[in-house]
Amino acid sequence: MTPGIIRTAARVLRRRPALLGFPALGLLAVAVVPAVAWLPLLRGVWHRVEDGGAPSPAQWGAVALVLWTASALSGLCTAALLHSVHELLDGRRPPLRASLAATGRRLPTLLSWGLLSLLLGSVLRTGESLAGLATLFDLLGFSWSLLTFFVLPVIVVEGAGLPASLRRSLALGRHVLGRWVVGGLRLFLVTALVALGTLAALILAVESDSTSVLFASLAAVAAVLLLVAVVRSAASGIYRMSLYREAVASATLAEAARVAAPAAGRSGR
């Protein structure tokens, strides 16, 4: 039985703290790509919207390209994290660059997955804002999360294509659905408690009437929130890989029992 998400992540990160570098790189990519694209691409879109106009098709395409690039780079970092965790849980300790190289060998499938998840995610978020359809799209979003939870581990470990990875992810998800939900709730609660603590510290700093204390508190809060985002992303990836391994073991045992049952029946006769 896999331990809880907090203990699992803590155990793995104690053995390999450098794993935090992968989610940090992913967050950096999400921040840097739009910043780099601001002058040549996004500033024109912003000015057009400010003037009351709608972006042109070319501008919409540029925005989509920026979003896809940032999403793809973040996804590659997550895939590299999953590869490192899988190797570590198998008793190996390859250099981090080896995980990046292994991820690079899955690049076409990972880019296709990034595009598909970005498109469907945008559709689901748009649907959630429609009056009378929010609940339906919330349920669709949850179903999509369940279907795709193991897509990245399947791509990284098994090297499957995108359609096969979606089917495999759904099949494996049935074995650990309850643990996935409980682990996600625990991670959310811990993150929320830390965020509330930093917010309380910021409120106290505002009430101190000291400018230096306020700016120091703002810097500290920003640093804590960034660290929480990195650790949360790493913990989620570690737990996902550990659940994937548990689901694979459960599926293998179930398949072995299914194959053995007819043979046992024949020998009994």
Side-chain angles (χ1 to χ4, degrees):
M1 183 70 70
T2 302
I5 184 169
I6 306 301
R7 283 184 295 164
T8 301
R11 186 184 74 244
V12 172
L13 289 175
R14 277 198 302 267
R15 292 172 60 188
R16 198 76 187 275
L19 293 178
L20 292 172
F22 289 124
L25 284 174
L27 288 175
L28 184 64
V30 171
V32 168
V33 170
V36 171
W38 173 254
L39 285 177
L41 296 176
L42 301 183
R43 189 170 61 173
V45 177
W46 177 260
H47 289 327
R48 194 178 182 100
V49 172
E50 274 191 326
D51 294 337
S56 66
Q59 288 175 327
W60 276 121
V63 171
L65 178 62
V66 170
L67 292 176
W68 177 61
T69 302
S71 175
L73 290 174
S74 178
L76 291 175
C77 293
T78 301
L81 169 67
L82 294 174
H83 180 272
S84 285
V85 173
H86 179 66
E87 294 292 298
L88 196 63
L89 294 176
D90 271 344
R92 296 183 291 271
R93 192 184 175 93
L96 299 185
R97 64 177 178 274
S99 293
L100 289 171
T103 300
R105 291 192 287 272
R106 311 280 191 252
L107 189 59
T109 306
L110 290 170
L111 291 178
S112 300
W113 163 240
L115 181 60
L116 177 63
S117 59
L118 179 64
L119 291 174
L120 288 182
S122 300
V123 171
L124 290 172
R125 282 190 294 272
T126 301
E128 289 170 0
S129 64
L130 298 176
L133 295 177
T135 302
L136 173 61
F137 277 92
D138 284 339
L139 291 174
L140 289 175
F142 178 80
S143 301
W144 175 247
S145 299
L146 173 62
L147 169 64
T148 61
F149 185 68
F150 289 129
V151 166
L152 275 180
V154 171
I155 293 173
V156 169
V157 176
E158 302 178 20
L162 186 54
S165 296
L166 288 167
R167 292 192 298 269
R168 175 73 164 157
S169 176
L170 179 60
L172 292 175
R174 299 173 184 145
H175 295 276
V176 291
L177 174 60
R179 296 182 62 75
W180 169 62
V181 173
V182 171
L185 288 175
R186 286 178 178 172
L187 185 59
F188 170 78
L189 288 175
V190 171
T191 305
L193 287 174
V194 174
L196 288 174
T198 56
L199 179 61
L202 185 59
I203 292 173
L204 292 175
V206 171
E207 292 181 346
S208 69
D209 293 328
S210 171
T211 304
S212 59
V213 171
L214 177 60
F215 280 107
S217 299
L218 285 172
V221 166
V224 169
L225 292 179
L226 283 174
L227 180 60
V228 168
V230 170
V231 173
R232 184 189 183 283
S233 180
S236 178
I238 292 167
Y239 196 62
R240 184 189 303 194
M241 180 53 73
S242 65
L243 281 182
Y244 163 78
R245 292 164 63 90
E246 181 181 327
V248 168
S250 298
T252 301
L253 288 174
E255 179 63 19
R258 186 186 67 81
V259 172
R266 288 193 297 271
S267 63
R269 291 194 297 270

